[in-house]
Amino acid sequence: MLDKLFAEYKSKAEALKEDEAVICDIEEYIKGVVHDLLTDKDGFQIEFKPGSYLLIGGDVALSKEVCKIFYEKLDAALPNHVYCFAILGNHELCSFNSYRECVEWYRQFFYTTKIQFLENEIMWNPKNGKTEKYEQISNQDFSADYPVILGGIGLSGLRLECSKLRNDELEQKISHHISMMHDSLREIIANKKVIILTHMPYDLWLE
């Protein structure tokens, strides 16, 4: 969705802490991206119905600073009655030394926003922000009022581009985990609305 953001500003990301002019430039650009995201093709602001969902599927940018600016602008612009969910893409991992460090940084950041972050987690009641791991799923947990969302990167050990993060055993473990969650959902709540929000497609999870 934000490929242009990623392509145009990845080279400027290194200067974020040093060049205030670059920061202002990026912030203005991202403000325009958020505006376009929340307006229709005729330039009018989208009238979101109460309880609408907005899903962000990762790969916002390589730089965590650029991602932070984007999500802060989006959070400020989103109506309170819209539920926004975000997951990571493989590009977001490249600002960190490990998968766990990346997930923890984004989890702490998203705590300061209205945006709900999912990584190998299931959300079934956005009002209380409740997420669970697949071992805890049972049919009575899920409200019929909201779709159930499974969110995460959906890593494949063969697809991670950042060589410094390569850990095939960990990646396969994470991929297996989200695959088990997916299969559990199919068995337990086949008669309910389910959203699968992953960056990598299902057929790559266990490669």
Side-chain angles (χ1 to χ4, degrees):
M1 180 180 63
L2 297 176
D3 288 342
K4 187 177 180 183
L5 171 75
F6 166 66
E8 277 194 39
Y9 287 103
K10 65 179 180 179
S11 62
K12 294 183 179 180
E14 297 300 322
L16 271 171
K17 296 180 181 178
E18 303 172 5
D19 188 343
E20 291 186 4
V22 172
I23 294 175
C24 291
D25 186 31
I26 293 176
E27 286 183 342
E28 283 303 307
Y29 179 85
I30 294 176
K31 186 176 179 180
V33 171
V34 170
H35 175 270
D36 293 344
L37 182 63
L38 302 180
T39 55
D40 62 23
K41 62 181 181 180
D42 298 317
F44 295 103
Q45 185 172 355
I46 296 173
E47 296 294 332
F48 290 99
K49 296 179 180 179
S52 295
Y53 282 25
L54 178 63
L55 310 176
I56 308 295
D59 273 9
V60 171
L62 280 171
S63 164
K64 65 183 179 183
E65 287 85 3
V66 172
C67 288
K68 182 174 181 288
I69 294 170
F70 167 73
Y71 282 116
E72 286 174 341
K73 298 292 186 186
L74 178 61
D75 184 53
L78 271 177
N80 289 330
H81 60 268
V82 174
Y83 298 121
C84 183
F85 299 89
I87 62 170
L88 301 175
N90 51 300
H91 288 150
E92 280 86 349
L93 294 170
C94 294
S95 286
F96 298 88
N97 294 316
S98 71
Y99 162 82
R100 289 191 175 92
E101 179 188 349
C102 177
V103 171
E104 183 60 24
W105 188 90
Y106 277 97
R107 197 175 299 285
Q108 292 300 318
F109 164 68
F110 280 115
Y111 280 149
T112 68
T113 73
K114 299 188 297 291
I115 299 167
Q116 302 191 56
F117 172 64
L118 298 174
E119 174 51 28
N120 277 14
E121 292 160 305
I122 291 171
M123 170 75 70
W124 70 87
N125 187 345
K127 283 189 174 181
N128 66 20
K130 190 172 185 180
T131 62
E132 292 292 346
K133 302 298 185 183
Y134 80 91
E135 293 92 344
Q136 298 166 297
I137 295 172
S138 63
N139 193 40
Q140 64 268 26
D141 286 331
F142 300 107
S143 167
D145 297 333
Y146 304 98
V148 177
I149 300 179
L150 167 60
I153 300 176
L155 279 174
S156 165
L158 301 179
R159 303 289 172 167
L160 200 55
E161 296 177 2
C162 303
S163 58
K164 68 178 181 178
L165 294 181
R166 287 307 300 266
N167 183 333
D168 289 348
E169 183 178 353
L170 175 61
E171 291 165 29
Q172 290 170 7
K173 181 179 179 181
I174 295 166
S175 297
H176 182 71
H177 192 173
I178 198 167
S179 181
M180 291 287 288
M181 295 171 75
H182 174 271
D183 293 344
S184 296
L185 279 177
R186 291 182 62 184
E187 293 176 6
I188 293 171
I189 55 173
N191 61 335
K192 297 182 185 291
K193 295 179 181 178
V194 179
I195 297 171
I196 307 297
L197 177 61
T198 62
H199 184 69
M200 298 292 189
Y202 175 74
D203 61 348
L204 298 183
W205 292 352
L206 295 180
E207 285 193 359

